């Protein structure tokens, strides 16, 4: 299947499961059923309330399941601000403007960009270590979202040794931290 279709569908599936999410599911089934059938079945089984609670518990309360990809490379450091600004510049160069409430490293935003702009695949690949770390965390939690992220990673070129090693280092040490005023 065309990676752009996978990334577009995944962008919707990784958004908070509100009413709009549930209205779009038939379109996603029609466009990308084979890649997302396990997730779609689990989402239907859980239903709106349970899936929403799982989403919050997984993506909002678990540091290892962060959907903001610069968190994996930069942690909560000043460097993360520079990375976010660089992402915004890349979007602008491609003719994209984010909505005011969107952060450029939010995975659904990156996936939407990758689906609609050819430079987006390279951007996803640059964050491959973070994607793999997120996928590992979702698998360990047995989250239905592991199927969505698995499809995203499968649509990328195979992971290289350097990204695999970087993901292992991140898993062992966590994201970077900085000391401000002597406190960590």
């Amino acid at each position: 299947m065309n990676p752009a279709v996978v990334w577009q569908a995944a962008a919707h599936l990784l958004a908070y499961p509100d009413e709009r999410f549930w209205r779009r599911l038939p379109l996603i089934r029609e466009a990308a059923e084979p890649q997302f059938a396990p997730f779609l079945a689990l989402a239907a089984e859980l239903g709106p309330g349970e899936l929403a609670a799982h989403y919050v518990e997984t993506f909002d309360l678990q540091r290892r399941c962060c959907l903001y990809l610069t968190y994996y490379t930069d942690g909560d450091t000043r460097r993360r601000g520079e990375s976010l600004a660089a992402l915004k510049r890349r979007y602008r160069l491609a003719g994209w403007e984010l909505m005011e409430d969107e952060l450029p490293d939010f995975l659904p935003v990156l996936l939407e960009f990758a689906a609609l702009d050819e430079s987006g695949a390279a951007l996803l690949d640059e964050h491959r270590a973070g994607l793999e770390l997120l996928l590992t965390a979702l698998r360990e939690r047995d989250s239905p979202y592991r199927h969505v992220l698995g499809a995203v990673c499968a649509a990328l070129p195979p992971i290289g040794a350097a990204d695999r090693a970087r993901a292992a280092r991140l898993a062992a040490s966590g994201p970077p931290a900085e000391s401000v005023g002597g406190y960590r």
Side-chain angles (χ1 to χ4, degrees), residues 7-155:
W7 296 331
Q8 183 75 56
H12 294 293
L13 295 176
L14 288 169
Y16 179 78
D18 57 11
E19 289 178 26
R20 192 171 58 187
F21 169 93
W22 292 98
R23 282 195 313 267
R24 290 180 177 166
L25 282 187
L27 293 172
I28 292 170
R29 270 191 196 89
E30 187 178 314
E33 172 80 34
Q35 279 71 24
F36 298 106
F39 174 80
L40 294 170
L42 289 167
E45 184 181 312
L46 290 173
E50 243 183 285
L51 187 62
H54 176 77
Y55 185 95
V56 169
E57 181 183 315
T58 301
F59 296 121
D60 294 345
L61 302 178
Q62 301 297 316
R63 290 176 53 152
R64 290 192 59 218
C65 296
C66 183
L67 290 175
Y68 296 91
L69 295 182
T70 60
Y71 175 75
Y72 296 106
T73 55
D74 300 321
D76 286 326
T77 66
R78 285 172 273 201
R79 188 175 69 213
R80 184 165 181 222
E82 295 167 12
S83 295
L84 293 172
L87 278 171
K88 282 185 177 182
R89 281 192 300 276
R90 288 176 75 174
Y91 288 144
R92 275 193 216 107
L93 282 172
W96 278 59
E97 284 294 325
L98 297 175
M99 293 173 42
E100 285 186 31
D101 63 343
E102 289 181 320
L103 286 175
D105 66 336
F106 186 50
L107 182 54
V109 171
L110 282 166
L111 289 167
E112 185 96 18
F113 180 70
L116 300 173
D117 190 283
E118 63 187 43
S119 67
L123 197 52
L124 285 174
D125 204 41
E126 289 172 27
H127 291 278
R128 188 59 185 267
L131 290 170
E132 292 295 328
L133 189 58
L134 175 56
L135 179 57
T136 298
L138 293 172
R139 285 179 176 154
E140 288 171 359
R141 294 183 54 76
D142 200 29
S143 170
Y145 289 98
R146 72 189 182 279
H147 300 293
V148 178
L149 205 60
V152 167
C153 291

